Amino acid sequence: MKEHAPMTMKDIAREFGISVATVSRALKDSPRISEERRKAIQAYAREHNFYPNAIGEALRHSRVMPQRVIGVIVPEFTHYYFSSILTGIEEAAAARGYRIMVALSGEQYEREVRICESFHRSKVCGVIVSQAKDTKDYTHYQKLIDAGIPMVFYDRICTGVNASRVVVDDYMGAYNAVTHLIETGCKRIAYYGGPVQLEISKNRFNGYKDALLKHGMRVDDAIIGICDNRADAESITPKLMALDNPPDGFFAVNDDTAIGILYTVKHAGYRVPEDIGICGFTNGQRAVACDPMLTTVEQRGHRVGEEAAEILMDKVEGISPLDKVEKRIVRTRLIIRGTTK
């Protein structure tokens, strides 16, 4: 076993020169294994921080269990998209007799690691997660997978581990939004995106870039920025509008950022959409609470949550193989409102 790699039953079996089945029986305290060997295997497992997932294993062999708990990691609660996904997960889980245990990472890698360790100790039957923005080391995810705990990523997927995932069509959502801005007369479109290491950020930027290139427009780094919240949008936008050749259109990674742009340009005296077109990405409740109402890409978070929960529960119950990686894409839809012509 590699140094620092997560412990698995296979590793324990290799250490003792026995089968994985024998390890499993010893960890369950089966009388079929001698007491001496049981204690030796159990002690070795404890020393190497290995905890068998008893609930998950039992659920894969039985539809009836007194406790069915799915661990869910949410980056933040205030974002409408994540709350809608959580609702979808909870409703789908409840319909099949599961409960959910929700934990907030707060966009912090260290907190995310502690949550995974807690879920492992709590013996959840599976985990549904959207990774924190600054997560670059995926050992904590792999440890759960190696322990036989099924995992499904949503929204911000982790390309560093081979796990199932449910995402929206970020590329086409961005491509269609920017195409709409171009077709309604925008000649110079700024892009506000998320951290570059996130897969969704790459996909949305590629959609933005390809829409520009398709229409013979240049990609200009001067109007491309890492900005994914309202406060930063209100800070950065005046600088872009002060350029000799300012943008006349904005595509933002989420609605809050787009609303920050809207607030800033209106207070600077620009008319929306006559002078500047703006498009967001979410279609949350705030999109219809601003003036004018926001043109945005609908992400269908509730459906994303339902799909993620269904994949996970099928794996827990043995309907789908644990090692089968499912990749589902939920289609987006452009909702045209008052911030574009």
Side-chain angles (χ1 to χ4, degrees), residues 211-231:
L212 293 183
L213 296 176
K214 171 81 174 189
H215 292 83
M217 297 171 69
R218 187 170 66 91
V219 179
D220 186 353
D221 290 342
I223 55 173
I224 295 171
I226 303 301
C227 176
D228 61 1
N229 60 76
R230 177 170 179 166

Side-chain angles (χ1 to χ4, degrees), residues 9 24 27-28 45 50-55 57 120 123 147 149:
M9 281 197 189
S24 178
L27 294 175
K28 294 175 187 174
F50 177 79
Y51 303 94
N53 184 17
I55 291 177
E57 183 177 326
H120 195 175
K123 296 181 172 58
I149 302 173

Side-chain angles (χ1 to χ4, degrees), residues 1-24 27 40-41 44-45 48-51 142-143 145-148:
M1 185 179 65
K2 293 179 181 179
E3 186 179 3
H4 304 309
M7 174 66 66
T8 68
M9 281 197 189
K10 287 183 180 178
D11 298 323
I12 299 174
R14 189 181 304 113
E15 174 70 20
F16 285 88
I18 55 178
S19 68
V20 172
T22 300
V23 173
S24 178
L27 294 175
I41 293 171
Y44 184 83
H48 292 80
N49 200 33
F50 177 79
Y51 303 94
Q142 193 62 53
K143 180 177 181 179
I145 293 170
D146 288 345

Side-chain angles (χ1 to χ4, degrees), residues 82-196:
F82 289 126
S83 65
S84 64
I85 289 174
L86 190 58
T87 301
I89 294 172
E90 199 282 329
E91 290 180 359
R96 286 172 63 169
Y98 290 77
R99 294 185 296 112
I100 63 173
M101 181 187 297
V102 183
L104 177 69
S105 71
E107 303 288 14
Q108 299 172 29
Y109 163 74
E110 293 82 4
R111 194 165 171 180
E112 190 178 80
V113 171
R114 291 196 298 271
I115 292 168
C116 285
E117 291 171 348
S118 175
F119 281 170
H120 195 175
R121 289 193 299 271
S122 299
K123 296 181 172 58
V124 296
C125 62
V127 174
I128 300 175
V129 56
S130 179
Q131 74 173 60
K133 288 178 185 177
D134 64 349
T135 295
K136 298 182 181 67
D137 184 330
Y138 312 118
T139 306
H140 54 301
Y141 295 145
Q142 193 62 53
K143 180 177 181 179
L144 293 176
I145 293 170
D146 288 345
I149 302 173
M151 177 174 287
V152 178
F153 285 90
Y154 67 91
D155 189 51
R156 301 181 194 156
I157 64 172
C158 174
T159 57
V161 297
N162 197 28
S164 297
R165 71 280 307 265
V166 181
V167 297
V168 300
D169 194 346
D170 293 295
Y171 173 88
M172 284 307 301
Y175 182 91
N176 290 335
V178 176
T179 296
H180 170 67
L181 286 167
I182 295 169
E183 290 176 346
T184 53
C186 294
K187 308 285 187 190
R188 184 164 162 78
I189 302 168
Y191 173 83
Y192 286 3
V196 293

Side-chain angles (χ1 to χ4, degrees), residues 274-315:
E274 292 82 2
D275 301 327
I276 296 174
I278 302 170
C279 185
F281 208 113
T282 302
N283 195 33
Q285 295 169 341
R286 295 176 188 174
V288 294
C290 54
D291 181 27
M293 291 191 288
L294 186 67
T295 293
T296 186
V297 179
E298 184 177 50
Q299 287 183 274
R300 301 175 63 202
H302 191 279
R303 185 60 189 158
V304 170
E306 288 179 330
E307 294 272 357
E310 293 294 343
I311 291 173
L312 187 78
M313 291 183 293
D314 283 351
K315 290 184 180 300

